[in-house]
C-alpha cells in the first residue's frame, strides 16, 4: 500500500495487515483506529508483572534521582540553555534504559528554562532553586527578546490589574504556558514526520493565492513555525538514534515515535496542562499485530507500556513556589484518557487499557500520568471491576462521563488537564483559569470594596446599606451587576493573554499535530460555587444580618434559622447553584472572543481552591475567611449530610451545556467504607460509579 498524500513514502511494511480506509489517503487517526482495533471484553488474567529491566530502571530512578529531588524540591536546573525541541543532548536514566528513550534535558529530573513565557518567573524559579542566573540569557530575554508576559502587561488595563492583584481573578496564564492543547501525537507513529511535513507545506501553500488578510498572514506564518518544529522533532529523534521520517513498523516503534512527539512538546512548552491524549486503542492495534506475528510476548507489551509511563512520571517544569501554591504542588497533568464507547456502539476498551492500569501495580501509585477513564454503565464487566480494584489499591484513577463527552465531542476526544474535553488534533483551548464567583458575591454586597483589604477595587457600584436582614432579590440583583464587571474584566484579560501567547509563545509542536483549520474554545471557569449557592440559600430561606466594621464594610454575617445546602439533592439549593453557573456562562457568551473562540466554562478548582480561600472573607453560609474552598463542584466540606450519591445527584443538576469545559466532583472513600471483603468493595464502587454516570435521556 502506498499513500496518496502529498509525500510519497513507502508504507508497505509499516501498514502491513492494517485495514485500509480514509486514514490511508489523508490524515485521519480516528478512522485508522475504528477500522483496526480489537475491543476486549475479558478480564485482567492475561496481564504480566514488571520485568527485571523495568524494576532496575525504576529503582535507579528512585535511588539516584527521585529520592534526592524530594529533599530539595528542584533537583537541578540548566541555567544556560533556553529550552527547545533539539536544545539538549540525549539523556538516559541508566545504561539499560532502552525500551522507550528520551528525556526533557540531558539528565533525569533536570529542568529547563522556558523564558518565552516570561523572564520574571524563570528568574524567580532559578533563584528559588538555589542556582545562579546566566547574565547573557537574562540580557537576551530582557533586552532583545520580548516575552509573552512582557506583552500581556503592556496591554493590561487598570481594571485587569486591580482584579488580578485583589485575587478576584487568579491563576491567569500570563507568565507561563497556557497548556490545554493536546497534539495528536499518534500521527507521528502512523504516518512518520515526512508525510506530516509535506501535508503542512501543502496546506500552507493552498492559500497562497488568496488576498492578504490577518488570518491569511497568521495562517501561513503559523504553518511555517509548525514545519520548523516537525523538522526539529526529526532531528531530536535522530540524536537518539531513531529515524522517524517514516511510519512506525512495530509496536515498540509506535510507542517510541508517539513518545518522541510528546517529548518534543514538553521540551518546548511548559503549559499548565500537557495531556498526552487517547493512546490505548491506537497502541493496541500494533500490539495485537505483533503478538499475532510472534515478534513480541505479553511480557514485552507490558514492559513497553511500563517504560513509557516511567518517562511520563518524570516530566518536570521550572516553576516558582507561588505557582506550586496555586496548583497545590508541581502537577503537569499528562492526562491519558481511555475506555468509553465508539459512535458505532463498540467498547473502546482494549487489552492496552488494562496494561495502562497495570502500571499502577508494576510501578506503584502515582498522580502522573493522570489516568482518566471514560465511564459508562455498559463498559465490559471485567474492565469495570479492574478499574475499581486499582482505584481502591492506588487512588490514582479519575473518571469522566463517556456519554456526555462522546455526545458533545465525539468518540476520539480526550481530557486536557483534569476535566476539559476536546477532539484530538482538531481542537484546542485558550485556557483561562477562573474567576472567584464567591468573592464576587461579597463585592456585590460591599459595592466593589474588597472584604479583606477594604480597598475600593470596583468603582461605580453601590453597597447594600442598613443593618437589617439581607433581602434575596436585592442581593441577587447586585450580584448579577457585579458579575457583569468581573466577567467582562476576566474575558478582556483572556483575550489579551491569548493574543500575546500566539505571538510570543506559540505552541508550534503541538499545533503541528493538529488539522490546519481547528476549533478553538475559550476555557473560562468559576471557583466557589458551593459557597455562593449556600450563601444565597441562607439569605433566601433563613435570616442573614450583615456585620460591619467601623468603615461600614461588611466583614461577617449573623445567620439565624435553617436553610438548604447544595450537595444534598435538595432542589432549593441545587437550583441556585445551577442558576449561578448558567448566569456566568450567559455573560461570557455575550462578549466577543479572540479568534472567534467558542466560550466554554468549567466548575473546577481541584488544586487552587486553597489559594482562593486564603484571599476571600466570611460568608452568610458560615464559610470562614481564609479557609479553603471546596474543590470544583463539590459541596462545602461537612455540609453534604446525605451521602455520596446525593452529592452526585446535586452536581448532576448543573447543566453540562453551561459547563462544557467540565465539572469536577472529588470524593474520598475509604476501602473499608465500601465493604468488608475486596469483592464487596469492588462491586460497591462499580455500583457508585454506575449511579453517578447515568446517561442523559434523549
Amino acid at each position: 500500500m502506498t499513500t496518496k498524500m502529498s509525500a510519497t513514502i513507502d508504507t508497505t511494511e509499516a501498514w502491513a495487515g492494517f485495514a485500509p480506509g480514509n486514514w490511508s489517503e489523508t490524515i485521519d487517526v480516528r478512522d485508522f483506529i475504528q477500522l483496526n482495533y480489537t475491543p476486549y471484553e475479558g478480564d485482567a488474567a492475561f496481564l504480566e508483572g514488571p520485568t527485571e529491566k523495568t524494576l532496575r530502571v525504576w529503582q535507579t530512578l528512585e535511588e539516584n534521582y527521585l529520592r534526592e529531588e524530594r529533599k530539595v524540591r528542584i533537583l537541578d536546573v540548566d541555567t544556560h540553555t533556553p529550552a527547545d525541541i533539539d536544545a539538549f543532548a540525549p539523556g538516559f536514566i541508566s545504561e539499560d534504559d532502552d525500551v522507550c528513550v528520551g528525556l526533557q534535558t540531558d539528565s533525569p529530573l533536570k529542568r529547563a528554562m522556558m523564558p518565552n513565557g516570561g523572564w520574571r518567573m524563570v528568574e524567580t524559579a532559578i533563584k528559588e532553586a538555589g542556582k545562579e542566573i546566566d547574565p547573557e540569557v537574562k540580557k537576551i530575554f530582557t533586552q532583545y527578546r520580548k516575552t509573552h508576559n512582557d506583552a500581556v502587561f503592556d496591554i493590561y488595563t487598570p481594571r485587569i490589574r486591580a482584579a488580578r492583584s485583589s485575587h478576584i481573578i487568579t491563576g491567569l496564564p500570563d507568565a507561563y504556558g497556557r497548556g490545554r492543547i493536546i497534539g495528536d501525537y499518534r500521527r507521528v507513529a502512523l504516518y512518520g514526520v515526512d508525510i506530516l511535513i509535506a501535508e503542512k507545506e501543502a496546506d500552507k501553500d493552498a492559500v497562497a493565492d488568496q488576498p492578504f488578510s490577518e488570518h491569511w498572514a497568521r495562517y501561513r506564518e503559523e504553518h511555517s513555525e509548525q514545519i520548523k518544529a516537525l523538522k526539529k522533532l526529526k532531528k531530536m529523534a535522530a540524536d537518539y538514534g531513531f529515524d522517524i521520517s517514516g511510519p512506525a513498523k512495530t509496536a515498540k516503534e509506535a510507542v517510541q515515535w508517539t513518545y518522541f512527539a510528546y517529548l518534543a512538546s514538553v521540551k518546548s512548552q511548559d503549559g499548565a496542562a500537557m495531556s498526552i491524549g487517547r493512546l490505548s486503542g491506537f497502541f493496541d492495534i500494533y500490539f495485537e499485530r505483533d503478538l499475532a506475528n510472534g515478534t513480541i510476548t505479553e511480557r514485552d507489551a507490558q514492559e513497553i507500556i511500563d517504560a513509557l509511563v516511567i518517562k511520563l512520571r518524570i516530566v518536570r517544569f521550572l516553576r516558582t513556589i507561588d505557582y506550586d501554591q496555586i496548583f497545590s504542588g508541581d502537577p503537569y497533568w499528562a492526562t491519558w484518557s481511555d475506555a468509553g464507547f465508539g459512535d458505532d456502539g463498540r467498547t473502546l476498551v482494549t487489552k492496552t487499557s488494562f496494561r495502562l492500569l497495570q502500571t499502577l501495580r508494576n510501578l506503584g501509585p502515582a498522580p502522573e500520568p493522570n489516568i482518566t477513564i471514560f465511564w459508562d454503565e455498559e463498559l465490559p464487566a471485567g474492565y469495570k471491576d479492574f478499574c475499581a480494584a486499582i482505584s481502591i489499591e492506588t487512588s490514582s484513577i479519575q473518571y469522566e462521563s463517556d456519554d456526555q463527552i462522546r455526545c458533545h465531542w465525539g468518540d476520539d476526544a480526550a481530557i486536557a488537564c483534569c476535566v476539559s474535553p476536546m477532539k484530538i488534533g482538531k481542537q484546542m483551548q485558550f485556557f483561562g483559569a477562573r474567576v472567584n464567583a464567591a468573592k464576587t458575591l461579597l463585592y456585590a454586597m460591599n459595592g466593589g470594596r474588597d472584604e479583606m483589604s477594604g480597598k475600593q477595587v470596583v468603582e461605580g457600584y453601590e453597597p447594600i446599606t442598613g443593618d437589617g436582614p439581607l433581602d434575596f432579590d436585592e442581593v441577587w440583583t447586585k450580584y448579577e451587576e457585579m458579575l457583569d464587571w468581573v466577567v467582562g474584566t476576566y474575558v478582556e484579560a483572556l483575550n489579551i493573554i491569548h493574543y500575546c501567547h500566539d505571538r510570543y509563545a506559540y505552541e508550534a509542536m503541538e499545533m503541528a499535530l493538529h488539522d490546519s483549520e481547528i476549533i478553538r474554545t475559550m476555557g473560562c471557569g468559576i471557583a466557589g460555587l458551593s459557597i455562593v449557592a449556600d450563601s444565597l440559600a441562607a439569605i433566601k430561606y433563613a435570616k442573614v444580618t450583615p456585620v460591619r466594621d467601623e468603615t461600614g464594610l461588611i466583614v461577617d454575617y449573623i445567620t439565624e434559622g435553617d436553610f438548604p445546602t447544595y450537595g444534598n439533592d435538595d432542589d432549593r439549593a441545587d437550583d441556585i447553584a445551577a442558576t449561578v453557573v448558567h448566569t456566568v456562562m450567559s455573560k461570557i457568551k455575550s462578549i466577543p472572543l479572540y479568534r472567534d473562540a467558542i466560550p466554554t466554562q468549567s466548575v473546577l478548582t481541584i488544586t487552587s481552591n486553597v489559594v482562593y480561600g486564603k484571599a476571600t472573607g466570611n460568608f452568610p453560609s458560615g464559610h470562614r475567611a481564609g479557609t479553603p474552598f471546596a474543590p470544583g463542584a463539590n459541596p462545602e466540606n461537612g455540609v453534604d449530610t446525605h451521602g455520596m450519591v446525593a452529592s452526585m445527584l446535586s452536581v448532576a443538576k448543573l447543566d453540562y451545556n453551561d459547563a462544557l469545559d467540565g465539572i469536577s466532583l472529588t470524593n474520598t472513600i475509604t476501602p473499608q467504607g465500601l465493604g468488608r471483603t475486596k469483592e464487596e468493595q469492588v462491586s460497591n464502587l462499580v455500583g457508585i460509579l454506575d449511579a453517578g454516570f447515568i446517561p442523559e435521556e434523549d
Side-chain angles (χ1 to χ4, degrees), residues 404-421:
Q404 291 280 21
I405 291 168
R406 188 177 69 257
C407 290
H408 287 85
W409 309 106
D411 62 6
D412 195 37
I415 298 297
C417 190
C418 310
V419 297
S420 305

Side-chain angles (χ1 to χ4, degrees), residues 5 13 41 96 138 192 200 242 265 353 413 438 454 458 495 531 571 644 672 691:
M5 299 176 199
E13 181 180 356
E41 299 193 3
D96 53 355
K138 179 176 182 177
K200 286 296 180 181
F242 292 88
S265 293
S353 302
V458 185
N495 284 336
I531 302 173
D571 287 345
M644 181 181 296
Q672 294 76 15

Side-chain angles (χ1 to χ4, degrees), residues 48 383 413 484 486 615 635:
E48 293 281 351
Y383 183 69
D484 286 333
V486 172

Side-chain angles (χ1 to χ4, degrees), residues 26 36 177 181 455 476-477 508 516 559 579 586 602 612 617 639 675 692 695:
T26 187
N36 288 283
I181 303 174
K455 183 179 179 181
W476 177 257
T477 298
S516 290
T559 301
T579 300
S586 298
S602 65
Y612 280 98
V639 170

Side-chain angles (χ1 to χ4, degrees), residues 313-345:
R313 289 188 179 190
I314 60 173
V315 170
R316 297 290 187 272
F317 296 115
L318 182 61
R319 307 293 202 192
T320 63
I321 292 173
D322 282 347
Y323 180 98
D324 287 356
Q325 289 177 345
I326 290 175
F327 293 101
S328 296
D330 188 19
Y332 48 94
W333 289 290
T335 304
W336 184 323
S337 303
D338 209 345
F341 282 88
D343 290 339
D344 61 3

